[in-house]
């Protein structure tokens, strides 16, 4: 049932809803700061089920399947701070500019989202204020604090992608995503391509852009931080063993990259 269109649109989360921001390892000493925009698929109680059956709410349209387990394990392995967002991207997409049409999608892939049709400006603004803003405020504050302490900071935005989108199969196992800063993606591509049997996407299945992304342009590029996005194919990380395997692999490669960056004086020794 869709509840959002009824009544007061100035509030979204109530006392029974969890806060949008999830963090692991906030005091972690790694230069890598991990973000996870599509970590969760929770829905605020007030929104009901957005008019969708559970089968739709478990699909990639609602979240990045498998990435939560990878992100948490990677945070542990690297001793890195992870900042993640628990609510479904169908509530509001935390990796879209809030003024983009896809910020609160009315259609995702081929699925109409009933609870997002004819949303009032107030209701959209409330989703932004209660979900999007706290998440990005926390990332901004964490970066502020690290810079104030002269702590090296490299932004890694973690995502996963569906193996088949609109009927087209995607061959890559993993992809690096970037736009203006290629320092880290180049090292990551080299590290991933050295792994046996991996099909590695270079800005595939997406490239980062100002119109379709938020976290990398705003927290990485605009602040002059080295950055990359990482997309892992969802069928590879659907269960805990796959998540651990990919986290271990990324921790090893990112550890090697950290050593390279220090040797190149791109990070302090
Ligand atoms: Zn994502």
């Amino acid at each position: 049932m869709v509840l959002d269109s009824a009544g007061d649109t100035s509030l979204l989360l109530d006392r029974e809803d969890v806060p949008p921001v999830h963090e692991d390892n906030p005091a972690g000493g790694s230069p890598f700061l991990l973000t996870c925009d599509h970590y969760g698929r929770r829905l605020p109680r007030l929104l009901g089920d957005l008019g969708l059956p559970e089968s739709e709410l478990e699909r990639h349209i609602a979240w990045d399947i498998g990435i939560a387990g990878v992100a948490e394990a990677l945070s542990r392995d690297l001793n890195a701070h992870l900042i993640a967002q628990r609510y479904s991207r169908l509530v509001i997409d935390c990796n879209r500019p809030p003024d983009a049409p896809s910020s609160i999608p009315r259609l995702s892939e081929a699925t109409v989202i009933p609870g997002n049709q004819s949303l009032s400006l107030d209701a959209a603004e409330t989703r932004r204020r209660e979900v999007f803003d706290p998440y990005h405020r926390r990332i901004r504050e964490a970066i502020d604090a690290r810079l104030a302490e002269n702590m090296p900071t490299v932004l890694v935005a973690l995502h996963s992608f569906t193996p088949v989108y609109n009927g087209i199969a995607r061959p890559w196992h993993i992809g690096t995503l970037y736009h203006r800063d290629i320092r880290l993606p180049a090292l990551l591509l080299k590290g991933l391509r050295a792994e046996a049997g991996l099909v590695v996407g270079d800005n595939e299945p997406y490239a980062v852009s100002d119109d379709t992304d938020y976290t990398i342009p705003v927290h990485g590029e605009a602040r002059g931080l080295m950055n990359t996005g990482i997309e892992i194919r969802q069928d590879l990380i659907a269960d805990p063993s796959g998540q651990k395997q990919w986290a271990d692999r990324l921790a090893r490669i990112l550890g090697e990259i950290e050593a390279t960056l220090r040797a190149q004086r791109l990070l302090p020794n």
Side-chain angles (χ1 to χ4, degrees), residues 160-237:
S160 71
F161 64 96
T162 182
V164 179
Y165 187 76
N166 276 335
I168 311 280
R170 289 152 153 186
W172 313 280
H173 298 115
I174 186 166
T176 60
L177 284 73
Y178 55 91
H179 184 193
R180 296 177 177 90
D181 184 348
I182 61 164
R183 290 172 293 177
L184 181 57
L187 292 170
L188 189 55
L189 283 167
K190 189 172 164 209
L192 289 168
R193 285 175 173 155
E195 300 281 299
L198 281 195
V199 180
V200 180
D202 179 355
N203 255 343
E204 298 284 2
Y206 322 98
V208 172
S209 79
D210 293 340
D211 294 335
T212 55
D213 291 84
Y214 190 88
T215 298
I216 283 180
V218 170
H219 299 299
E221 294 177 337
R223 305 204 64 171
L225 300 180
M226 255 188 285
N227 66 79
T228 191
I230 294 177
E231 289 267 4
I232 307 173
R233 208 175 67 201
Q234 290 167 358
D235 56 308
L236 306 174
I237 53 173

Side-chain angles (χ1 to χ4, degrees), residues 26-42:
S30 168
F32 295 108
L33 173 63
L34 309 177
T35 60
C36 200
D37 305 332
H38 305 133
Y39 168 93
R41 63 179 192 91
R42 287 175 175 270

Side-chain angles (χ1 to χ4, degrees), residues 53-83:
E54 183 63 17
S55 56
E56 290 287 356
L57 295 171
E58 290 171 350
R59 292 180 63 224
H60 73 92
I61 62 170
W63 63 328
D64 279 1
I65 293 167
I67 203 63
V70 175
E72 288 169 358
L74 188 59
S75 166
R76 270 196 306 276
D77 288 352
L78 291 173
N79 189 27
H81 187 184
L82 165 67
I83 305 177

Side-chain angles (χ1 to χ4, degrees), residues 21 27 40 51 62 66 89 109 114 121 125 160 171 189 193 227 245 255 261:
V21 181
R89 68 166 138 230
E109 202 173 9
L121 282 177
E125 174 59 25
S160 71
L189 283 167
R193 285 175 173 155
N227 66 79
Q245 184 192 331
L261 292 173

